[in-house]
Amino acid sequence: MAISSLWLDSVGFLVILFVLSGSRECNALAGYRLPDTVVPEHYIVDMITNLEEDDYSFQGKVWIRVKANKATDSIIMHSRNLTIPESEVSVKWIAKGDGGAAANQLMPIANTKFVTDNEFYIIKLQRPLTAGEKYMIKIPFSGELTESLAGYYRSSYFDRSANQTKWLAVTQFESTDARRAFPCFDEPAMKAVFTINLGHKKHLKSISNMPLINTTDIEGMEGWVWDHYGDSVPMSTYLVAFMVSEFEFKDGDPTNNNVSFRIWARKDAIGQVEFARQVGPKFLSYFEEYFDVKYPLPKQDMVAIPDFNAGAMENWGLITYREVALLFDERSSSTASKQYIASVIAHELAHQWFGNLVTMKWWTDLWLNEGFATFVATLGVHHEFPDWKSYDNNAVENMLVVFSLDSLKASHPVSVPIGNPSEITQIFDTISYKKGSYLLRMMNLFLGEEVFRKGVSNYLKAHRYSNAEQDDLWAALTDEAHKAASLDKALTVKEIMDTWTLQTGYPVVTVTRDYEKGSATVSQKRYLAVKLTAREAEKEKSCWWVPLAYTTKKELDFNETKPKVWLNCKEDAEIHDISAKDEWVVFNTKAAGLYRVNYDEENWNLLADTLNNGDYKSIGTLNRVQLLADALDFAWGGEMEYQMAFKLVSYLKKEDEYLPWKSGLSNLNNIERLLRRTAIYGEFKRFMRSLLTEPYKKYRSFAEIPSAIEEIKFKSLVVGWACRMETEDCISQALTLFKKWKAEADPDANNPIPSDVRGLVYCLGVKHGGESEWNYLWTRYQKSNVGNEQTLILSALGCTRDVWLLNRYLDMSIDPMSDIRRQDSSSVFSAVARNDVGYYLAKSFLYSNVKKIHAYYGPKTSRLGRYVSTVADHMIHEEELSELKKFVEQNKDLLKYSLLATTQSIESTVVNIRWFGNYYSKISRLVTI
C-alpha cells in the first residue's frame, strides 16, 4: 500500500542509518520491524501504579534476559511515550556456569536513542554482543496513566455506596501498545516468559496473567505493597495484562479441570456476573475437549471494564471486557444481549488456544486468531445452548456482511500483507473475523467435522507456545484429510484454501442448464459491486477452488455438503444427469461455500414458483436464505431484473422462520436506506407493511414475549420493521408503554417495558416526544447501573426529530466532561446519522469537527473510519460523493489510520449512486403496484 512505502522512505531509512551504519545486519532490517539479532527470553516487570487524583502515573523497572543470535552492537526494542533515564540503563553479560570475574560483566553503553516514528528504543553499545551469549538488560521507566484506552491507562466509575468516583488502571496491549507500558520487544513472534510484580496502595487489589504468589510491603513506602505473580508460560507481549482497582469478584462454577475461574466487576455491578460465572467454565471445558489440549494455566480471570476500546481482549489468564460484553442483568438485559455475551465469552476463551497457545508469526495472519475464535465460539455456544441455533444464525450473519463488504474492490485478502504497523489496526475488521470464520465453516463442511477437528488439534500440539503461519495449518489439515480419504491425494488443503485466503473477494458461480440433455455448465468469476471496465476485466484473473454440492427437487438432500464436483481454475465444470427439465436444482447446499449462485431464468422461475406455491419448506432454510440474498443483490447489481427478485421476495408473506426473513429484510434494508430521503419513500413503506402483514399479526402484541429465543428474535425483527414503516398500532403500543414507564414513581426500579422491545420503545418515545422525553431518557441513562441498558438508551436518544437536541447530543459525544464514555462516542454519532433528520446534521458535524474528533480519540485512531462509513452509507448523489472525496483528501493526515475504511466508503458511495441512477424508477413502479 502506498502509505507504507511512503512511510519507509521518509523514516525507515533514517533509522537504519543511525542504528546500523556499517553493521552486519544492515541489509536485513526493514524500517518498521525489529531485527532478530537479539531476542527476549524472560522479562521481570516491576510496576508501581499511582491512582491519586493529582498524579495518575506509573513507574517501574524491567529486566529483560535476551539472547544474541548474531554479533551486534545495537539492541533495538520498542518504547512509546515512556520516560527512560539514560544513566540508569544497563546491559550485563550473563556468564554460563561459573563465569568467575567476568560473570555479569557490564557492557559499556555508547548512547541510547528514541526513534519516535518507529516507536524504537535503541541501545548502542561500545562493543558488540557475542553471538550465542545471553545478557540482562535493565531499564527504569515512567509514564502517565492517560484515558486513551490503550497501553496502561486509567478508567473511572461512580461508586454509589461510597458516593464518589473511583479510578482503576488496566492494560490493553493488542496490537502494538505493550510498548506504552514498558520497554519491550513488541512483536508477536518474540515470545518470552513474564514475571510481573505490581506495586500499589494497600486498599487496592491487583490481578495479572498468572496467580498471585505473595504480597510484601514496599520498603520506604508506607501503606504500599508489592503483589508478586508467578512466571507465565512463553507468550507474546500483546497478551500481557494487569489491573489495579477496588473491584470485587465471584468464583465461577467448579469443573473437573481444576482451573480457578473468577469474574471481576465494580462493586455495584458484581450482581450481574452470574451468567458469565456459569457459562465461562463450561466453555473452557468444552474447548479443552474439542481441541484435545488442556488449558495450560492454573487460573482464568474475566474482568468487566467501564472504559474499554475493544469489545473484549483475550489476554492469557486475564480476559478484559467492556461491561456490555460480560455483565447480564436478569431484569433488564435483553435476550439478544445474553446471546452476545455468550458469544463474546466463548470467542475470548477460544483465543486461549488459537492466538495465545499458538500465535501468528506476524499480523499478516491475524485471521488465524480472529477467524478461528469466531468460528469455534459458535461451536461452543451451540454445544451449550443448542436451542439458540447459533451455528446457522452466525453463518447467515457472516454471509450477509461478507457478501456486502467483500464485493468491493477496496476489500482485502483474509491473509493480508502488513507492512507498516499502522496498518494493523485497520484489519481487525469483518474480513478477518467474519470471512475468516465463514471460510473455516466451509472447510469444516467439505472436509468433515472429525477431520477438521483432528487436524486443528494436531496443529495446536505441534506449535504450542510458539508461532505459526497459515501454511502450517494447511499441512496439518491435509495430513488428516488424506488419512481419512476425505480429500483426493492429488489435492491439498493449501491448493484449495490459498485461493480463498490470498485473494480479495469471492466468486459468483453461474449455472447454465441444458434442459433437454439434463446437464449443466458451471462457471465462475469474481463478484463485484462496481462492474469492471473492459480493460479491468481483461486483467481480472481471480479464480477459486469452489466446492460444488447441490441437490434437486427430486433428491431434496439439503444436508449433504461434501462436494460432488470441484470447480477449479482450469475449466468450467460440466455436470450430467442433473435434473428433469421441469424440476429445479439448487447449488451450495446449506450455503456451505462462500460464493453466490446465479441460475438461468428458467431455473429461477422454477424456484420462485416453488417458494410461492406453499411448498417453500421443500427447500432447506439456509438455501432459502441464500436465494433471497443472491436474487436481491443480483438485481442490485443489474444481473437480474428486479421483477424476478421481488417475485422471490413475495413468498416471505408465507414464511414462518426467522432466518429467511432476516436475509430478505437485510437486503431490502439497502433499498430502504437509499429511498429514505426520496419522494417514493411513502410508497415503499406501504409495500413493506403489506409484506409484513402476516408475521406482524402473529407478533404484534408488545406484551406477549415468546419463550423460544428464535421466536423472540423473529418478533423483534418484525415489530421493529413494522414500527419503522409506521404501522399505526405498532407506534401507539410503543408510546403507551413509554408513557406508562414515565409515570412510574421509581422508573429506575420499575420498568414495565419488556426487555426485548425496550430499544424500539425508547426510540419511538423520543422520536414522537420533545425535550421532556429526551431529558427523561437521558436521566435514566445517567442513573442506570447496567451497561446494556445504557447502550440502548444512547442509541434511542439519537431518534429525536428536534434539530437542536441532535446538535447538542453530537457536541456531548466528544465532550470529555459529559457522561458519554469515549468508547461510545462513535455509536452516538451513528445513532444520529441513522435518523432521517439527523443525517445532514451528522455529516456537517463530521466535516466541521474532524480535528476535534481526531484529537478526542488520540493520534493513532482508526475510529474516524466509522464516522466516514456511517455518512457514506446514505449518500446517493454525485455532489455528495465529490464532497466526500474532497473531505478525505483535505484530511488525509488525520485519516491515515482509517485509510482502508475511507477507501471502502468512497467505493460504497459510487455503488449507491450507480444504483440510484439505474433503478430508482424501476423500484418506484414495483412498490406502487
Side-chain angles (χ1 to χ4, degrees):
M1 296 174 72
I3 191 169
S4 297
S5 58
L6 200 69
W7 185 86
L8 275 173
D9 289 344
S10 61
V11 179
F13 181 67
L14 294 177
V15 177
I16 294 171
L17 278 182
F18 167 75
V19 180
L20 301 173
S21 179
S23 68
R24 298 176 190 174
E25 64 270 34
C26 183
N27 294 327
L29 177 66
Y32 49 82
R33 293 292 301 277
L34 295 179
D36 61 358
T37 49
V38 177
V39 294
E41 293 184 338
H42 190 167
Y43 293 77
I44 299 173
V45 181
D46 285 1
M47 178 76 77
I48 294 177
T49 302
N50 194 333
L51 286 169
E52 296 300 306
E53 192 169 333
D54 57 345
D55 181 21
Y56 298 110
S57 64
F58 60 88
Q59 54 274 335
K61 297 182 181 71
V62 60
W63 292 263
I64 313 173
R65 189 181 77 226
V66 299
K67 181 181 178 181
N69 287 332
K70 300 175 185 175
T72 178
D73 60 0
S74 300
I75 300 173
I76 307 173
M77 63 182 76
H78 289 110
S79 177
R80 183 180 179 198
N81 295 345
L82 296 175
T83 300
I84 298 174
E86 182 178 8
S87 62
E88 297 179 42
V89 176
S90 66
V91 179
K92 288 184 179 181
W93 170 56
I94 304 173
K96 297 173 184 174
D98 183 7
N104 296 324
Q105 183 182 54
L106 276 171
M107 303 291 293
I109 295 173
N111 57 59
T112 65
K113 184 175 180 66
F114 291 100
V115 183
T116 305
D117 290 320
N118 298 66
E119 300 179 353
F120 286 169
Y121 180 67
I122 303 167
I123 303 172
K124 186 83 168 176
L125 302 168
Q126 293 183 14
R127 63 173 185 265
L129 306 177
T130 303
E133 294 297 307
K134 297 187 179 182
Y135 301 85
M136 183 67 76
I137 305 167
K138 176 189 171 186
I139 307 175
F141 59 87
S142 61
E144 180 187 354
L145 284 171
T146 68
E147 296 179 79
S148 64
L149 312 184
Y152 193 34
Y153 72 95
R154 73 183 195 265
S155 171
S156 67
Y157 60 95
F158 187 74
D159 186 321
R160 294 165 190 244
S161 57
N163 196 34
Q164 67 179 95
T165 297
K166 297 286 183 72
W167 290 90
L168 65 130
V170 68
T171 57
Q172 171 56 34
F173 289 165
E174 191 177 33
S175 53
T176 59
D177 286 321
R179 64 193 69 174
R180 290 174 181 256
F182 56 93
C184 57
F185 297 81
D186 201 11
E187 291 189 1
M190 292 198 174
K191 288 190 170 184
V193 172
F194 288 83
T195 304
I196 306 294
N197 303 302
L198 299 176
H200 56 82
K201 285 200 168 181
K202 274 187 178 179
H203 74 282
L204 299 169
K205 305 166 192 169
S206 75
I207 45 177
S208 187
N209 302 87
M210 299 301 291
L212 179 66
I213 303 301
N214 59 43
T215 299
T216 60
D217 291 335
I218 299 180
E219 291 185 18
M221 295 178 66
E222 187 175 349
W224 289 72
V225 294
W226 282 114
D227 285 342
H228 303 280
Y229 290 89
D231 292 351
S232 75
V233 296
M235 64 183 187
S236 305
T237 48
Y238 79 88
L239 296 170
V240 175
F242 38 86
M243 181 179 80
V244 174
S245 71
E246 293 184 48
F247 277 17
E248 297 183 352
F249 71 85
K250 285 190 177 181
D251 291 308
D253 283 346
T255 59
N256 58 8
N257 61 8
N258 296 318
V259 176
S260 170
F261 215 107
R262 299 182 299 183
I263 319 296
W264 296 75
R266 53 190 171 83
K267 181 179 179 181
D268 290 333
I270 196 67
Q272 299 171 37
V273 305
E274 186 63 23
F275 179 63
R277 190 188 70 77
Q278 292 170 11
V279 301
K282 292 178 181 177
F283 288 146
L284 196 72
S285 295
Y286 170 78
F287 291 132
E288 283 188 320
E289 182 179 343
Y290 185 82
F291 294 129
D292 191 31
V293 176
K294 285 292 183 185
Y295 177 68
L297 304 188
K299 67 94 172 175
Q300 178 64 69
D301 287 303
M302 304 201 303
V303 190
I305 308 297
D307 298 286
F308 198 69
N309 190 42
M313 177 58 209
E314 67 268 17
N315 315 298
W316 219 344
L318 174 53
I319 304 174
T320 43
Y321 298 80
R322 278 197 191 192
E323 288 194 347
V324 295
L326 186 66
L327 305 181
F328 181 79
D329 183 75
E330 290 289 345
R331 293 189 314 155
S332 62
S333 297
S334 66
T335 302
S337 70
K338 177 180 273 192
Q339 290 188 298
Y340 170 67
I341 290 165
S343 69
V344 176
I345 292 174
H347 179 103
E348 303 309 324
L349 289 172
H351 269 309
Q352 308 304 298
W353 287 265
F354 251 97
N356 298 11
L357 185 66
V358 180
T359 312
M360 73 265 153
K361 287 183 180 178
W362 181 239
W363 299 99
T364 288
D365 285 323
L366 172 69
W367 85 274
L368 284 179
N369 284 15
E370 300 303 348
F372 248 99
T374 303
F375 176 65
V376 297
T378 301
L379 301 180
V381 174
H382 182 72
H383 178 268
E384 191 59 38
F385 304 102
D387 58 313
W388 290 7
K389 300 182 180 179
S390 60
Y391 189 77
D392 286 351
N393 272 270
N394 279 275
V396 171
E397 179 185 337
N398 293 346
M399 178 181 75
L400 293 174
V401 296
V402 172
F403 272 173
S404 176
L405 177 60
D406 212 26
S407 67
L408 300 177
K409 296 176 189 175
S411 184
H412 64 82
V414 168
S415 184
V416 55
I418 290 292
N420 186 328
S422 68
E423 297 166 12
I424 297 169
T425 304
Q426 299 184 62
I427 64 166
F428 281 80
D429 67 354
T430 293
I431 300 300
S432 296
Y433 286 73
K434 295 182 183 293
K435 184 178 181 182
S437 174
Y438 206 93
L439 292 180
L440 292 166
R441 174 182 177 268
M442 179 176 81
M443 192 162 50
N444 178 291
L445 291 173
F446 73 67
L447 290 177
E449 165 63 27
E450 189 53 33
V451 167
F452 178 83
R453 191 201 63 76
K454 191 69 164 50
V456 167
S457 178
N458 292 342
Y459 163 83
L460 290 171
K461 290 171 182 174
H463 301 283
R464 69 176 83 196
Y465 304 118
S466 187
N467 299 78
E469 299 171 300
Q470 70 173 23
D471 280 1
D472 298 312
L473 178 61
W474 299 159
L477 288 164
T478 298
D479 287 345
E480 263 327 292
H482 286 167
K483 284 178 191 174
S486 67
L487 196 64
D488 190 285
K489 291 277 188 183
L491 196 56
T492 65
V493 171
K494 175 177 171 58
E495 185 175 5
I496 295 167
M497 294 306 298
D498 275 1
T499 68
W500 294 94
T501 61
L502 302 182
Q503 294 184 110
T504 302
Y506 59 88
V508 54
V509 166
T510 301
V511 179
T512 306
R513 294 178 59 184
D514 186 324
Y515 291 89
E516 296 305 319
K517 293 181 180 178
S519 63
T521 301
V522 184
S523 61
Q524 64 165 298
K525 65 177 180 179
R526 183 179 173 188
Y527 185 84
L528 285 163
V530 176
K531 302 313 168 199
L532 300 175
T533 64
R535 181 173 294 181
E536 288 173 331
E538 284 181 18
K539 295 179 181 178
E540 174 56 58
K541 302 298 182 185
S542 300
C543 176
W544 292 262
W545 275 82
V546 183
L548 299 178
Y550 58 89
T551 192
T552 65
K553 183 177 180 181
K554 184 178 181 181
E555 292 172 344
L556 294 179
D557 188 0
F558 283 93
N559 290 318
E560 181 55 70
T561 58
K562 188 175 172 116
K564 295 179 180 179
V565 179
W566 282 94
L567 176 60
N568 61 42
C569 294
K570 299 174 184 176
E571 57 190 1
D572 295 345
E574 298 292 336
I575 302 175
H576 302 283
D577 301 321
I578 194 167
S579 190
K581 64 180 181 180
D582 59 346
E583 295 180 349
W584 49 256
V585 62
V586 169
F587 275 72
N588 201 21
T589 49
K590 275 196 169 179
L594 186 62
Y595 58 92
R596 296 188 181 281
V597 186
N598 201 354
Y599 304 97
D600 54 68
E601 187 175 356
E602 179 60 25
N603 200 72
W604 275 119
N605 273 314
L606 289 169
L607 290 167
D609 290 343
T610 298
L611 291 174
N612 282 286
N613 69 12
D615 194 26
Y616 65 90
K617 288 202 173 181
S618 65
I619 300 173
T621 302
L622 291 179
N623 284 97
R624 302 202 300 276
V625 166
Q626 181 163 22
L627 288 172
L628 290 170
D630 286 349
L632 284 164
D633 275 328
F634 290 148
W636 178 275
E639 294 94 352
M640 176 186 285
E641 291 295 328
Y642 260 111
Q643 192 168 358
M644 173 63 79
F646 272 52
K647 181 179 178 182
L648 286 149
V649 167
S650 65
Y651 105 90
L652 282 175
K653 294 177 180 179
K654 301 183 178 72
E655 178 64 74
D656 62 359
E657 288 191 51
Y658 166 67
L659 286 176
W661 270 100
K662 178 180 174 67
S663 176
L665 293 177
S666 174
N667 282 274
L668 288 168
N669 186 67
N670 294 329
I671 299 174
E672 188 271 344
R673 190 181 72 241
L674 300 191
L675 296 184
R676 200 177 297 166
R677 295 181 284 141
T678 70
I680 67 164
Y681 189 52
E683 298 296 334
F684 179 79
K685 286 194 288 187
R686 279 189 282 275
F687 167 80
M688 290 303 302
R689 288 197 295 269
S690 172
L691 189 66
L692 291 159
T693 299
E694 290 306 315
Y696 183 64
K697 280 180 184 176
K698 181 178 180 180
Y699 293 121
R700 70 195 311 158
S701 172
F702 281 33
E704 296 173 11
I705 302 298
S707 56
I709 283 190
E710 195 79 350
E711 277 207 89
I712 292 173
K713 290 163 72 174
F714 196 3
K715 177 186 177 71
S716 297
L717 179 69
V718 168
V719 171
W721 266 85
C723 282
R724 192 162 136 206
M725 297 297 101
E726 297 188 329
T727 303
E728 187 58 39
D729 71 318
C730 188
I731 295 172
S732 63
Q733 281 189 83
L735 296 182
T736 298
L737 278 171
F738 191 86
K739 289 173 184 174
K740 185 177 179 182
W741 181 38
K742 203 177 171 197
E744 288 282 351
D746 187 355
D748 300 308
N750 303 304
N751 189 332
I753 306 169
S755 58
D756 289 301
V757 293
R758 281 189 184 178
L760 176 64
V761 173
Y762 293 172
C763 176
L764 290 168
V766 169
K767 181 177 181 178
H768 293 273
E771 181 184 5
S772 171
E773 285 71 21
W774 199 98
N775 289 339
Y776 169 80
L777 200 58
W778 175 249
T779 301
R780 304 285 71 74
Y781 168 80
Q782 292 174 303
K783 292 190 175 182
S784 175
N785 186 40
V786 179
N788 287 297
E789 179 80 354
Q790 289 185 316
T791 299
L792 289 179
I793 293 173
L794 283 178
S795 179
L797 288 168
C799 295
T800 180
R801 290 187 279 202
D802 285 334
V803 170
W804 73 273
L805 285 173
L806 290 169
N807 276 324
R808 184 180 72 177
Y809 196 32
L810 288 168
D811 287 341
M812 290 167 63
S813 72
I814 56 169
D815 179 357
M817 301 307 292
S818 79
D819 288 325
I820 299 170
R821 295 188 181 274
R822 199 177 305 261
Q823 66 190 19
D824 296 320
S825 295
S826 61
S827 299
V828 169
F829 179 83
S830 297
V832 174
R834 287 194 302 266
N835 182 336
D836 301 349
V837 177
Y839 167 73
Y840 295 100
L841 305 178
K843 185 172 69 168
S844 175
F845 178 80
L846 171 61
Y847 289 176
S848 302
N849 294 279
V850 62
K851 290 180 180 177
K852 285 184 183 178
I853 298 168
H854 180 270
Y856 185 65
Y857 284 117
K860 276 199 168 183
T861 181
S862 61
R863 284 290 183 97
L864 274 171
R866 299 186 192 180
Y867 284 73
V868 175
S869 61
T870 296
V871 296
D873 276 347
H874 301 271
M875 292 181 176
I876 55 176
H877 300 302
E878 288 286 354
E879 295 81 5
E880 293 174 309
L881 176 61
S882 298
E883 190 180 31
L884 178 63
K885 286 180 175 178
K886 182 180 178 182
F887 167 77
V888 170
E889 175 61 27
Q890 289 176 340
N891 296 283
K892 57 188 177 184
D893 289 341
L894 302 179
L895 294 166
K896 68 180 179 180
Y897 295 103
S898 303
L899 179 65
L900 183 61
T902 52
T903 305
Q904 291 169 346
S905 296
I906 289 171
E907 187 177 347
S908 295
T909 304
V910 171
V911 173
N912 289 351
I913 293 168
R914 179 199 60 88
W915 181 89
F916 193 77
N918 291 341
Y919 303 112
Y920 175 74
S921 60
K922 292 181 181 180
I923 290 294
S924 176
R925 289 194 295 273
L926 283 170
V927 299
T928 55
I929 292 175

